Amino acid sequence: GENVEQHPSTLSVQEGDSAVIKCTYSDSASNYFPWYKQELGKRPQLIIDIRSNVGEKKDQRIAVTLNKTAKHFSLHITETQPEDSAVYFCAASIPGGGADGLTFGKGTHLIIQP
Amino acid sequence: DTAVSQTPKYLVTQMGNDKSIKCEQNLGHDTMYWYKQDSKKFLKIMFSYNNKELIINETVPNRFSPKSPDKAHLNLHINSLELGDSAVYFCASNARVTGELFFGEGSRLTVL
C-alpha cells in the first residue's frame, strides 16, 4: 500500500516568515495530493490540492509543488499569520480499489510565533 | 446545514462495553469512510464504503464493524472496547469529482 512520510513533525516560524512542509510518497501510481489543515479540536479541512499532471498550484499565500520523479510534494505558506497555527496533513491517494481513500502523513504542528 | 454529521461528539465508557457512533452525510456522495486519530494526531483510514459495499478494510480488529443502511449513513459499532480504542473517530465522505474528503466533527471516545 501507499506510504506517506511528512517532515518536520513540528515547525515554529516567526509571524510574517515563510513555512515549508515536505512529504514523500511511495507508490508512483498515486495521482492526487491534498493538504488538510486541522485546528485544535476541529475537523481536518482541505486547503489546497494538486494532481499528478500539474507541477505547482497557488492560492493566495499557499502554494503546493509536486515532483513526480522524486515522489515528493511540498506545502509553502508565505507571510504567515497567527491563524495559520494548526496541524497540517499531506495525503496521497490510494491507487486501485475505486474508493479513492487517502493515506495521510503523520502531520506537522505549525506554530506561528508573534 | 451540516454536510457530514456524527454523533455522539463525546463518548466515555468502560472497558468491555459495546458502543456505536453514527454518521450521516447530506452531500450525495457515494463513498464514506471512518478514520481514527490517535493521541499523536495520526490519521489512519479504517473503513471505506461505496454504495453499501466495503471497499477498504485496513488492519482493523474485527471488534470494529461498519454498518451502512443506505449511502447517506455509515455507522461504526465497536464491541468489547479496549483502552487502546481511545481516540477521535472521524467520519468522512468523498466528492468523487474533486477527490476532496469532507470530515465530520469527530467523536472523541474515551475508554476507562
Side-chain angles (χ1 to χ4, degrees):
Chain A
E2 176 66 281
N3 183 47
V4 177
E5 299 286 337
Q6 180 171 351
H7 300 280
S9 56
T10 303
L11 177 60
S12 181
V13 301
Q14 290 292 320
E15 183 179 348
D17 288 350
S18 296
V20 180
I21 302 170
K22 299 182 179 182
C23 289
T24 60
Y25 60 100
S26 60
D27 196 323
S28 56
S30 288
N31 58 4
Y32 175 61
F33 307 93
W35 287 86
Y36 283 78
K37 175 183 180 183
Q38 185 178 25
E39 296 176 359
L40 187 63
K42 297 190 176 180
R43 73 189 86 187
Q45 291 191 294
L46 179 72
I47 56 171
I48 195 167
D49 57 13
I50 192 167
R51 297 192 180 273
S52 56
N53 58 347
V54 175
E56 183 173 357
K57 186 176 178 180
K58 190 173 181 180
D59 182 3
Q60 299 182 338
R61 296 187 296 108
I62 294 173
V64 58
T65 58
L66 171 65
N67 183 328
K68 283 184 61 179
T69 303
K71 289 189 282 188
H72 66 70
F73 55 113
S74 301
L75 177 71
H76 304 254
I77 305 174
T78 58
E79 301 172 15
T80 53
Q81 300 169 3
E83 55 264 36
D84 295 331
S85 293
V87 178
Y88 290 81
F89 294 94
C90 63
S93 61
I94 299 173
D100 295 331
L102 296 174
T103 297
F104 285 88
K106 292 185 176 179
T108 296
H109 187 192
L110 177 61
I111 301 165
I112 307 301
Q113 302 279 6
Chain B
D1 287 345
T2 303
V4 182
S5 59
Q6 52 184 111
T7 56
K9 192 170 182 178
Y10 300 97
L11 188 53
V12 181
T13 189
Q14 299 287 330
M15 274 199 318
N17 284 349
D18 303 337
K19 290 294 177 186
S20 296
I21 306 172
K22 295 184 177 181
C23 179
E24 176 182 5
Q25 55 97 2
N26 62 5
L27 297 167
H29 293 162
D30 287 331
T31 309
M32 296 182 70
Y33 307 83
W34 278 105
Y35 280 85
K36 178 181 179 181
Q37 186 171 46
D38 62 22
S39 58
K40 294 183 178 179
K41 301 295 185 184
F42 300 158
L43 267 171
K44 185 171 181 182
I45 189 169
M46 299 176 69
F47 299 104
S48 166
Y49 253 76
N50 184 308
N51 286 330
K52 300 175 69 172
E53 280 189 71
L54 181 65
I55 302 297
I56 301 173
N57 183 351
E58 297 291 308
T59 53
V60 172
N62 58 15
R63 298 182 296 103
F64 291 79
S65 56
K67 296 275 195 309
S68 180
D70 54 61
K71 78 171 193 176
H73 296 83
L74 183 63
N75 304 324
L76 183 64
H77 299 272
I78 316 169
N79 296 324
S80 303
L81 279 158
E82 300 177 357
L83 293 176
D85 297 333
S86 295
V88 179
Y89 292 84
F90 284 99
C91 177
S93 69
N94 174 253
R96 201 135 185 97
V97 174
T98 64
E100 180 177 358
L101 267 184
F102 290 80
F103 285 89
E105 291 183 322
S107 296
R108 180 176 293 278
L109 171 65
T110 303
V111 182
L112 303 175

